[in-house]
Amino acid sequence: MMSSSSYCWAPNLLLLLTISSHFAFATPSSYIPPLRTVSESFRHVRVNYDFLPSDVHTFFFNQTLDHFSFRPESYTTFRQKYVINFKYWGGANSSAPIFAYLGEEAPISSDIPIIGFLPDNAPQFKALIVYIEHRFYGESIPYGLSLEEALESPETRGYFSSAQALADYAEILIHIKGKLHAKNSPIIVMGGSYGGMLASWFRLKYPHIAYGALASSAPILLLNNFVPHFGYYSIVSKDFRETSETCYQTIKESWSEIDRVASEPNGLSELSKIFNTCKPLQDVNELKRYLEYEYASSAQYNDPHTKPVAHICDGINNSNGSSSVLSKVFSGLVALKRNQSSMPVPPCFVNPPVNISQTIIGWDWQECSEIVYALARSNDTMFEPYVPSLQSYIDGCNASYGVVPRPHWIPTSFGGQDMESVLRHFTSNIIFSNGLVDPYSNGGVLEDLSRTVRAVYTVHGSHCLDLLPSVKGDPYWLVNQRKTEVGIIRRWINKYYAELKTLRDA
C-alpha cells in the first residue's frame, strides 16, 4: 500500500507478475504498484551526499523475536540493522533532535541514498539521522535465513507483522537514546507509503517515544475491512486524460481490441508479436495485467522531472502514423522505457525473466496477513471494470500460505472503523503529506484534522515526492510543500524546547 522520477517505491511491475513458483499467488492488489517510496527505475539513480565514513555507522541490535508473548521461543533474538548519520547532530548536551526514518518493505541500504528529506534538513535542526530496517527485509531476517526460507515456515513468518515492526523501532530508538545519553532529544519519525503508515501508527502507539511524525503518501484510510475503493484507478485515468484526451481514449479502446485479437485463430501469437513479448503469451490477462501496471506505476510516480505519463502519451499520439490501436499502445510502452534514462530499454516486453526482489516476496505475505485493501475499477475509468472479491482473495492466500487474511485487524489495532476520528481526537503532531497526482492519495488524509494533525498536499505531486532529494529545477509548489513541512516540524520542536525549559526551571 509509498518516491522523483517514479518515486515512493514501487517494485518493478514485472516482478509482481512473475512471482516465483514457490510464491505463485499474487493478490489482486499485486497488479498495481505496491506501497513503496520510489519506483524501481529511480533506484538506479545515485544521489551523492557529502558523507564521510566517520559520519555514518552501521549497527546491529539484538532484537526480540516476539514482543507480545512469553513462550520460550519468543525470547529468541535476531540481528536488526540500523544506520546512524552523526554528521549534523548537535549532541545530547543541547538536546538536539533525532530524525528517524522507519524502513518499509525493502532493505534499508536502498533507502539511504534516495530519501533526501532527512539529510537535506538535518543541518538546520542539528539533527541526528537514524535509519531502521524493517524486520524480515534486508539483513534483518530472523534465524539468519533468507526471506524465502523464513516465509516457508509457518512458525517463522508468524512474527512478520507491522505491530512487531513498530515494537522493533521502539526498542531501537530507546536503545539509541540510552547509548547516546540523549534522554531529552525529541524524536521525529518519518516514512513514505507503507513506511508513512508505520510512522503515523508509531506516533499513535508510542507517543512517549516519538514527539511527531511525517507520513508521506500514506494511504491509511484504504485499510478498512476490504471495502472496495474506486479512487485509485479514477486518479490514474484522470492523470492520463488531463495529459491527452486522445491518449486516454486510445488506452480505453485497447482492452476490447486486445480481446478481439486474442479471440481469433492464433490470436495470442499475434499479440505476442505486436507487443514483442519475451515468451509467447499463454493467456490474454498476462498482457492486460502488464499494461495495467505500467499505466498505474507511471501515474503513481508521475513526477515533474521525468513525466512518465507524458512519455507514454507522446508515444501513443506519435506512433509513426500507425492507425492500429494496439500499435499505438505498444509505441507508448516503448517511449516510456526509452525515457527511463537510468534503465536500458529492454530487448522485449511482457513476461521477461526477472529476479524476484525481497519486496515482492515479503509484500505478498503482508497482503495475505494484515495489509489488506481492495482497489476496484468503475466504468468511468480508462480500464476494464473490476471489483475484487474477498472470497477470491482469501482463497488465494489460503492456497499460498494456509492463512486467511484479516482485513479487520489494521482498523481494529490502529483506529477502529473511523480512522479520521481517531486522528482528530486521540493524537497530535502528525503531518500527512500527499500529491494529488498519486493514485494512492485517494486513501490519504487530505484535510487538517486538528491544529497539530496536518494535511499538506500539492495538486501536481506524485508518490512520496517530498521525501526525495531537493534538486535544481524542483517546481515552486514542491519547494513550498517541503518548506511547509519543515516549518511545522520546527514549531513542534520549539514547543518541545519551551516545555523542557519550563520543567528544568521549575
Coordinates of all heavy atoms in Angstrom, one line a residue, residues 303-378:
D303 N 6.3 12.2 -11.7 CA 7.0 13.4 -11.1 C 7.2 14.4 -12.2 O 7.2 14.1 -13.4 CB 8.3 13.0 -10.4 CG 9.4 12.7 -11.4 OD1 9.4 11.6 -12.0 OD2 10.1 13.6 -11.7
P304 N 7.5 15.7 -11.8 CA 7.7 16.7 -12.7 C 8.9 16.7 -13.5 O 9.1 17.5 -14.5 CB 7.6 18.0 -11.8 CG 8.1 17.5 -10.5 CD 7.6 16.1 -10.4
H305 N 9.9 15.9 -13.2 CA 11.1 15.8 -13.9 C 11.1 14.8 -15.0 O 11.6 15.1 -16.1 CB 12.3 15.6 -12.9 CG 12.5 16.6 -11.9 ND1 13.0 17.9 -12.2 CD2 12.2 16.6 -10.6 CE1 13.1 18.6 -11.1 NE2 12.6 17.9 -10.1
T306 N 10.6 13.6 -14.8 CA 10.6 12.6 -15.8 C 9.3 12.4 -16.6 O 9.3 11.9 -17.7 CB 11.0 11.2 -15.1 OG1 10.0 10.9 -14.1 CG2 12.4 11.3 -14.5
K307 N 8.2 12.8 -16.0 CA 6.9 12.8 -16.6 C 6.6 11.5 -17.4 O 6.4 11.6 -18.6 CB 6.9 14.0 -17.6 CG 7.1 15.4 -16.9 CD 7.1 16.5 -17.9 CE 7.3 17.8 -17.1 NZ 7.4 19.0 -18.1
P308 N 6.5 10.4 -16.8 CA 6.3 9.2 -17.5 C 4.9 9.1 -18.2 O 4.8 8.5 -19.3 CB 6.4 8.1 -16.4 CG 6.2 8.8 -15.1 CD 6.7 10.2 -15.3
V309 N 3.9 9.7 -17.6 CA 2.6 9.7 -18.3 C 2.7 10.4 -19.6 O 2.2 10.0 -20.7 CB 1.5 10.3 -17.4 CG1 0.2 10.5 -18.2 CG2 1.2 9.4 -16.2
A310 N 3.4 11.6 -19.6 CA 3.5 12.3 -20.9 C 4.3 11.6 -21.9 O 4.0 11.6 -23.1 CB 4.2 13.7 -20.6
H311 N 5.3 10.8 -21.5 CA 6.1 10.0 -22.4 C 5.2 8.9 -23.1 O 5.3 8.6 -24.3 CB 7.3 9.4 -21.8 CG 8.4 10.4 -21.4 ND1 8.9 11.3 -22.4 CD2 9.0 10.7 -20.3 CE1 9.8 12.0 -21.8 NE2 9.9 11.7 -20.6
I312 N 4.4 8.2 -22.2 CA 3.5 7.2 -22.8 C 2.6 7.8 -23.8 O 2.4 7.3 -24.9 CB 2.7 6.5 -21.7 CG1 3.6 5.7 -20.8 CG2 1.6 5.7 -22.3 CD1 2.9 5.1 -19.6
C313 N 2.0 9.0 -23.5 CA 1.0 9.6 -24.4 C 1.7 10.1 -25.6 O 1.1 10.1 -26.7 CB 0.2 10.7 -23.6 SG -1.0 10.0 -22.5
D314 N 2.9 10.7 -25.5 CA 3.6 11.1 -26.7 C 3.9 9.9 -27.6 O 3.7 10.1 -28.9 CB 5.0 11.7 -26.3 CG 4.8 13.1 -25.7 OD1 3.7 13.7 -25.8 OD2 5.8 13.6 -25.1
G315 N 4.2 8.8 -27.0 CA 4.4 7.6 -27.9 C 3.2 7.1 -28.6 O 3.2 6.8 -29.7
I316 N 2.1 7.2 -27.8 CA 0.8 6.7 -28.4 C 0.3 7.7 -29.5 O -0.2 7.3 -30.5 CB -0.3 6.6 -27.3 CG1 0.0 5.4 -26.4 CG2 -1.7 6.6 -27.8 CD1 -0.9 5.3 -25.2
N317 N 0.5 9.0 -29.2 CA 0.0 10.0 -30.2 C 0.9 10.2 -31.4 O 0.4 10.8 -32.4 CB -0.2 11.3 -29.5 CG -1.3 11.3 -28.4 OD1 -2.2 10.4 -28.5 ND2 -1.2 12.2 -27.4
N318 N 2.1 9.8 -31.3 CA 3.1 10.0 -32.4 C 3.7 8.6 -32.8 O 4.9 8.5 -32.9 CB 4.2 10.9 -32.0 CG 3.6 12.3 -31.6 OD1 3.1 13.0 -32.4 ND2 3.6 12.6 -30.3
S319 N 2.8 7.7 -33.1 CA 3.3 6.3 -33.3 C 3.5 6.0 -34.8 O 3.0 5.1 -35.4 CB 2.3 5.3 -32.8 OG 1.0 5.6 -33.3
N320 N 4.3 6.9 -35.4 CA 4.8 6.7 -36.8 C 3.6 6.6 -37.8 O 3.7 5.8 -38.8 CB 5.7 5.5 -36.9 CG 7.0 5.7 -36.1 OD1 7.5 6.8 -36.0 ND2 7.4 4.6 -35.5
G321 N 2.5 7.3 -37.5 CA 1.4 7.3 -38.4 C 0.6 6.0 -38.4 O -0.4 5.9 -39.2
S322 N 0.8 5.1 -37.5 CA 0.1 3.9 -37.4 C -1.4 4.1 -37.0 O -1.6 4.9 -36.1 CB 0.7 2.9 -36.4 OG -0.1 1.7 -36.3
S323 N -2.3 3.5 -37.6 CA -3.7 3.6 -37.2 C -4.2 2.5 -36.3 O -5.3 2.6 -35.7 CB -4.6 3.7 -38.4 OG -4.5 2.5 -39.2
S324 N -3.4 1.5 -36.1 CA -3.7 0.4 -35.2 C -3.7 0.8 -33.8 O -2.7 1.4 -33.3 CB -2.7 -0.8 -35.5 OG -2.8 -1.7 -34.4
V325 N -4.8 0.6 -33.0 CA -4.8 0.9 -31.6 C -3.7 0.2 -30.8 O -3.0 0.8 -30.0 CB -6.2 0.6 -31.0 CG1 -6.2 0.6 -29.5 CG2 -7.3 1.5 -31.6
L326 N -3.5 -1.1 -31.2 CA -2.5 -1.8 -30.4 C -1.1 -1.4 -30.7 O -0.2 -1.4 -29.8 CB -2.7 -3.3 -30.6 CG -4.1 -3.9 -30.2 CD1 -4.1 -5.4 -30.3 CD2 -4.4 -3.4 -28.8
S327 N -0.9 -1.0 -32.0 CA 0.5 -0.5 -32.3 C 0.7 0.8 -31.6 O 1.9 1.1 -31.1 CB 0.6 -0.3 -33.8 OG 0.5 -1.5 -34.5
K328 N -0.3 1.6 -31.5 CA -0.1 2.9 -30.7 C 0.2 2.6 -29.3 O 1.1 3.3 -28.7 CB -1.4 3.7 -30.8 CG -1.7 4.3 -32.2 CD -3.0 5.1 -32.2 CE -3.2 5.7 -33.6 NZ -4.5 6.5 -33.6
V329 N -0.5 1.7 -28.7 CA -0.3 1.3 -27.3 C 1.1 0.8 -27.1 O 1.8 1.2 -26.1 CB -1.3 0.3 -26.8 CG1 -0.9 -0.3 -25.4 CG2 -2.7 1.0 -26.7
F330 N 1.6 0.0 -28.0 CA 2.9 -0.5 -27.9 C 4.0 0.6 -28.1 O 5.0 0.7 -27.3 CB 3.2 -1.6 -28.9 CG 4.6 -2.2 -28.9 CD1 5.0 -2.9 -27.8 CD2 5.5 -1.9 -29.9 CE1 6.3 -3.4 -27.7 CE2 6.8 -2.4 -29.8 CZ 7.2 -3.2 -28.7
S331 N 3.7 1.6 -28.9 CA 4.6 2.7 -29.1 C 4.7 3.5 -27.8 O 5.7 4.0 -27.5 CB 4.1 3.6 -30.2 OG 4.2 2.9 -31.5
G332 N 3.6 3.6 -27.1 CA 3.6 4.3 -25.8 C 4.5 3.6 -24.8 O 5.2 4.2 -24.0
L333 N 4.4 2.3 -24.8 CA 5.3 1.5 -23.9 C 6.7 1.7 -24.2 O 7.6 1.9 -23.3 CB 4.9 0.0 -24.1 CG 5.4 -1.0 -23.0 CD1 4.8 -0.6 -21.7 CD2 4.9 -2.4 -23.4
V334 N 7.1 1.6 -25.5 CA 8.5 1.8 -25.9 C 9.0 3.2 -25.5 O 10.1 3.4 -25.0 CB 8.6 1.6 -27.4 CG1 10.0 2.0 -27.9 CG2 8.3 0.2 -27.8
A335 N 8.1 4.2 -25.7 CA 8.5 5.6 -25.4 C 8.8 5.7 -23.9 O 9.7 6.4 -23.5 CB 7.4 6.6 -25.8
L336 N 8.0 5.1 -23.1 CA 8.2 5.1 -21.6 C 9.5 4.5 -21.3 O 10.3 5.1 -20.5 CB 7.1 4.3 -20.9 CG 7.2 4.1 -19.4 CD1 7.2 5.4 -18.7 CD2 6.2 3.1 -18.9
K337 N 9.8 3.3 -21.8 CA 11.1 2.7 -21.5 C 12.3 3.5 -22.0 O 13.3 3.5 -21.3 CB 11.1 1.3 -22.1 CG 10.0 0.4 -21.5 CD 10.0 0.3 -20.0 CE 8.9 -0.6 -19.5 NZ 8.9 -0.6 -18.0
R338 N 12.2 4.1 -23.1 CA 13.3 4.9 -23.7 C 13.6 6.1 -22.8 O 14.7 6.6 -22.7 CB 12.9 5.4 -25.1 CG 13.1 4.3 -26.1 CD 12.7 4.9 -27.5 NE 13.0 3.8 -28.5 CZ 12.5 3.9 -29.8 NH1 11.7 4.9 -30.1 NH2 12.7 2.9 -30.6
N339 N 12.6 6.6 -22.1 CA 12.8 7.8 -21.3 C 13.1 7.5 -19.8 O 13.2 8.4 -19.0 CB 11.6 8.7 -21.4 CG 11.6 9.5 -22.8 OD1 12.3 10.4 -22.9 ND2 10.9 9.0 -23.7
Q340 N 13.1 6.3 -19.5 CA 13.6 5.9 -18.1 C 15.1 5.8 -18.3 O 15.7 4.7 -18.3 CB 13.0 4.6 -17.6 CG 11.5 4.7 -17.3 CD 10.8 3.4 -16.9 OE1 11.3 2.3 -17.3 NE2 9.7 3.5 -16.2
S341 N 15.7 6.9 -18.3 CA 17.1 7.0 -18.7 C 18.1 6.2 -17.9 O 19.2 5.9 -18.3 CB 17.6 8.5 -18.7 OG 17.4 9.1 -17.4
S342 N 17.7 5.9 -16.6 CA 18.6 5.2 -15.7 C 18.5 3.7 -16.0 O 19.3 2.9 -15.5 CB 18.2 5.4 -14.3 OG 16.8 5.0 -14.0
M343 N 17.6 3.3 -16.9 CA 17.5 1.8 -17.2 C 17.5 1.6 -18.7 O 16.9 2.4 -19.4 CB 16.2 1.3 -16.6 CG 16.1 1.4 -15.1 SD 14.6 0.7 -14.4 CE 14.8 -1.1 -14.7
P344 N 18.2 0.6 -19.2 CA 18.2 0.4 -20.6 C 16.9 -0.1 -21.1 O 16.1 -0.7 -20.4 CB 19.3 -0.7 -20.8 CG 19.3 -1.4 -19.5 CD 19.0 -0.3 -18.4
V345 N 16.6 0.2 -22.4 CA 15.3 -0.3 -22.9 C 15.4 -1.8 -23.0 O 16.4 -2.3 -23.6 CB 15.1 0.3 -24.3 CG1 13.8 -0.3 -25.0 CG2 15.0 1.8 -24.2
P346 N 14.5 -2.5 -22.5 CA 14.6 -4.0 -22.6 C 14.4 -4.5 -24.0 O 13.8 -3.9 -24.8 CB 13.4 -4.4 -21.7 CG 12.4 -3.3 -21.8 CD 13.2 -2.1 -21.9
P347 N 15.1 -5.6 -24.3 CA 15.0 -6.2 -25.6 C 13.6 -6.7 -26.0 O 13.3 -6.9 -27.1 CB 16.1 -7.3 -25.6 CG 16.2 -7.7 -24.2 CD 15.9 -6.4 -23.4
C348 N 12.8 -7.0 -24.9 CA 11.5 -7.5 -25.2 C 10.6 -7.0 -24.0 O 11.1 -6.5 -23.0 CB 11.4 -9.0 -25.3 SG 12.1 -9.8 -23.8
F349 N 9.3 -7.1 -24.2 CA 8.3 -6.6 -23.3 C 7.4 -7.7 -22.8 O 7.2 -8.7 -23.6 CB 7.5 -5.5 -23.8 CG 8.3 -4.2 -24.2 CD1 8.8 -4.1 -25.4 CD2 8.5 -3.3 -23.2 CE1 9.6 -3.0 -25.8 CE2 9.3 -2.1 -23.6 CZ 9.8 -2.0 -24.8
V350 N 6.9 -7.6 -21.6 CA 5.9 -8.5 -21.1 C 6.5 -9.9 -20.8 O 7.3 -10.4 -21.6 CB 4.7 -8.7 -22.1 CG1 3.6 -9.5 -21.3 CG2 4.1 -7.4 -22.5
N351 N 6.3 -10.4 -19.6 CA 6.7 -11.7 -19.1 C 8.2 -11.9 -19.3 O 8.6 -13.0 -19.7 CB 5.9 -12.9 -19.5 CG 5.8 -13.1 -21.0 OD1 6.7 -12.7 -21.8 ND2 4.7 -13.6 -21.5
P352 N 9.1 -11.0 -19.0 CA 10.6 -11.2 -19.2 C 11.1 -12.0 -18.0 O 10.4 -12.1 -16.9 CB 11.2 -9.8 -19.2 CG 10.3 -9.1 -18.3 CD 8.9 -9.6 -18.5
P353 N 12.3 -12.6 -18.1 CA 12.9 -13.3 -16.9 C 13.3 -12.2 -16.0 O 13.9 -11.2 -16.3 CB 14.1 -14.0 -17.5 CG 14.4 -13.3 -18.8 CD 13.1 -12.8 -19.3
V354 N 13.0 -12.4 -14.7 CA 13.3 -11.4 -13.7 C 13.8 -12.0 -12.4 O 13.5 -13.2 -12.2 CB 12.1 -10.5 -13.3 CG1 11.7 -9.6 -14.5 CG2 10.9 -11.3 -12.9
N355 N 14.5 -11.3 -11.6 CA 14.9 -11.7 -10.3 C 13.8 -11.2 -9.3 O 13.5 -10.0 -9.4 CB 16.3 -11.2 -9.9 CG 17.4 -11.7 -10.8 OD1 17.4 -12.9 -11.1 ND2 18.3 -10.9 -11.1
I356 N 13.3 -12.1 -8.5 CA 12.3 -11.7 -7.6 C 12.9 -11.0 -6.4 O 13.8 -11.5 -5.7 CB 11.5 -12.9 -7.1 CG1 11.0 -13.7 -8.3 CG2 10.4 -12.5 -6.2 CD1 10.1 -12.9 -9.2
S357 N 12.5 -9.8 -6.1 CA 13.1 -9.0 -5.0 C 12.4 -9.3 -3.7 O 11.4 -9.9 -3.6 CB 12.8 -7.5 -5.3 OG 11.5 -7.2 -5.2
Q358 N 13.1 -8.9 -2.6 CA 12.6 -9.1 -1.3 C 11.2 -8.4 -1.2 O 10.3 -8.9 -0.5 CB 13.5 -8.5 -0.2 CG 14.7 -9.4 0.1 CD 15.4 -8.9 1.4 OE1 15.3 -7.8 1.8 NE2 16.2 -9.8 2.0
T359 N 11.1 -7.2 -1.8 CA 9.8 -6.5 -1.7 C 8.7 -7.3 -2.2 O 7.6 -7.4 -1.6 CB 9.9 -5.2 -2.5 OG1 10.9 -4.4 -1.9 CG2 8.6 -4.5 -2.5
I360 N 8.9 -8.0 -3.4 CA 7.8 -8.7 -4.0 C 7.4 -9.9 -3.1 O 6.3 -10.2 -2.8 CB 8.2 -9.3 -5.4 CG1 8.5 -8.1 -6.3 CG2 7.1 -10.1 -6.0 CD1 7.4 -7.1 -6.4
I361 N 8.4 -10.6 -2.6 CA 8.2 -11.8 -1.8 C 7.6 -11.4 -0.4 O 6.6 -12.0 0.0 CB 9.5 -12.6 -1.5 CG1 10.1 -13.0 -2.9 CG2 9.3 -13.7 -0.6 CD1 11.5 -13.6 -2.8
G362 N 8.1 -10.4 0.2 CA 7.7 -10.0 1.5 C 6.3 -9.4 1.5 O 5.4 -9.6 2.3
W363 N 6.1 -8.5 0.5 CA 4.8 -7.8 0.4 C 3.6 -8.8 0.1 O 2.5 -8.6 0.6 CB 4.9 -6.7 -0.7 CG 3.7 -5.7 -0.6 CD1 2.8 -5.5 -1.5 CD2 3.5 -4.8 0.5 NE1 1.9 -4.5 -1.1 CE2 2.3 -4.1 0.1 CE3 4.1 -4.6 1.7 CZ2 1.8 -3.1 1.0 CZ3 3.5 -3.6 2.6 CH2 2.4 -2.9 2.2
D364 N 3.9 -9.8 -0.6 CA 2.9 -10.8 -0.9 C 2.4 -11.4 0.4 O 1.2 -11.6 0.6 CB 3.5 -11.9 -1.8 CG 2.4 -12.8 -2.4 OD1 1.4 -12.2 -3.0 OD2 2.4 -14.0 -2.3
W365 N 3.3 -11.7 1.4 CA 2.9 -12.2 2.7 C 2.1 -11.1 3.5 O 1.1 -11.4 4.1 CB 4.1 -12.7 3.5 CG 3.8 -12.8 5.0 CD1 4.2 -11.9 5.9 CD2 3.0 -13.8 5.6 NE1 3.6 -12.3 7.1 CE2 2.9 -13.4 7.0 CE3 2.3 -14.9 5.2 CZ2 2.2 -14.2 7.9 CZ3 1.6 -15.6 6.1 CH2 1.5 -15.3 7.4
Q366 N 2.6 -9.9 3.4 CA 2.0 -8.9 4.2 C 0.5 -8.6 3.7 O -0.4 -8.3 4.5 CB 2.8 -7.6 4.2 CG 4.1 -7.7 4.9 CD 4.8 -6.4 5.1 OE1 5.7 -6.0 4.3 NE2 4.4 -5.6 6.1
E367 N 0.3 -8.7 2.4 CA -1.0 -8.5 1.9 C -1.9 -9.7 2.3 O -3.1 -9.6 2.3 CB -1.0 -8.4 0.4 CG -0.4 -7.1 -0.1 CD -0.5 -6.9 -1.6 OE1 -0.2 -7.9 -2.3 OE2 -0.9 -5.8 -2.1
C368 N -1.3 -10.9 2.5 CA -2.1 -12.0 2.8 C -2.3 -12.2 4.3 O -3.0 -13.1 4.8 CB -1.4 -13.3 2.3 SG -1.9 -13.7 0.6
S369 N -1.7 -11.3 5.1 CA -1.9 -11.3 6.6 C -2.8 -10.1 7.0 O -3.9 -10.3 7.4 CB -0.6 -11.4 7.3 OG 0.3 -10.4 6.9
E370 N -2.2 -8.9 6.9 CA -2.9 -7.8 7.5 C -3.0 -6.5 6.6 O -3.9 -5.7 6.9 CB -2.2 -7.4 8.8 CG -0.7 -7.0 8.6 CD 0.0 -6.6 9.9 OE1 -0.7 -6.6 10.9 OE2 1.1 -6.2 9.8
I371 N -2.1 -6.3 5.7 CA -2.2 -5.2 4.8 C -3.2 -5.5 3.6 O -2.8 -5.7 2.5 CB -0.8 -4.7 4.3 CG1 0.2 -4.6 5.4 CG2 -0.9 -3.4 3.5 CD1 -0.1 -3.6 6.4
V372 N -4.4 -5.5 4.0 CA -5.5 -6.0 3.0 C -6.3 -4.8 2.6 O -6.9 -4.1 3.4 CB -6.4 -7.0 3.7 CG1 -7.4 -7.5 2.8 CG2 -5.5 -8.2 4.3
Y373 N -6.3 -4.5 1.3 CA -7.2 -3.5 0.8 C -7.7 -3.9 -0.6 O -7.1 -4.7 -1.3 CB -6.4 -2.2 0.7 CG -5.1 -2.2 0.0 CD1 -4.9 -1.7 -1.3 CD2 -3.9 -2.7 0.6 CE1 -3.7 -1.7 -2.0 CE2 -2.7 -2.7 -0.1 CZ -2.6 -2.2 -1.4 OH -1.4 -2.2 -2.0
A374 N -8.8 -3.2 -1.0 CA -9.5 -3.6 -2.3 C -9.6 -2.4 -3.2 O -10.3 -1.5 -2.9 CB -10.9 -4.2 -1.9
L375 N -8.8 -2.4 -4.3 CA -8.9 -1.3 -5.2 C -9.7 -1.8 -6.4 O -9.3 -2.8 -7.1 CB -7.5 -0.9 -5.7 CG -6.6 -0.4 -4.5 CD1 -5.2 0.0 -5.1 CD2 -7.2 0.7 -3.7
A376 N -10.8 -1.1 -6.7 CA -11.7 -1.5 -7.7 C -11.7 -0.5 -8.9 O -11.1 0.6 -8.8 CB -13.1 -1.6 -7.2
R377 N -12.3 -0.9 -10.0 CA -12.3 -0.1 -11.2 C -13.7 0.0 -11.7 O -14.4 -1.0 -11.8 CB -11.4 -0.7 -12.3 CG -10.0 -0.9 -12.0 CD -9.2 -1.3 -13.2 NE -9.5 -2.5 -13.8 CZ -8.9 -3.7 -13.6 NH1 -7.8 -3.7 -12.8 NH2 -9.2 -4.8 -14.2
S378 N -14.2 1.3 -11.9 CA -15.5 1.5 -12.4 C -15.6 1.7 -13.9 O -14.5 1.7 -14.6 CB -16.1 2.8 -11.7 OG -15.4 3.9 -12.3

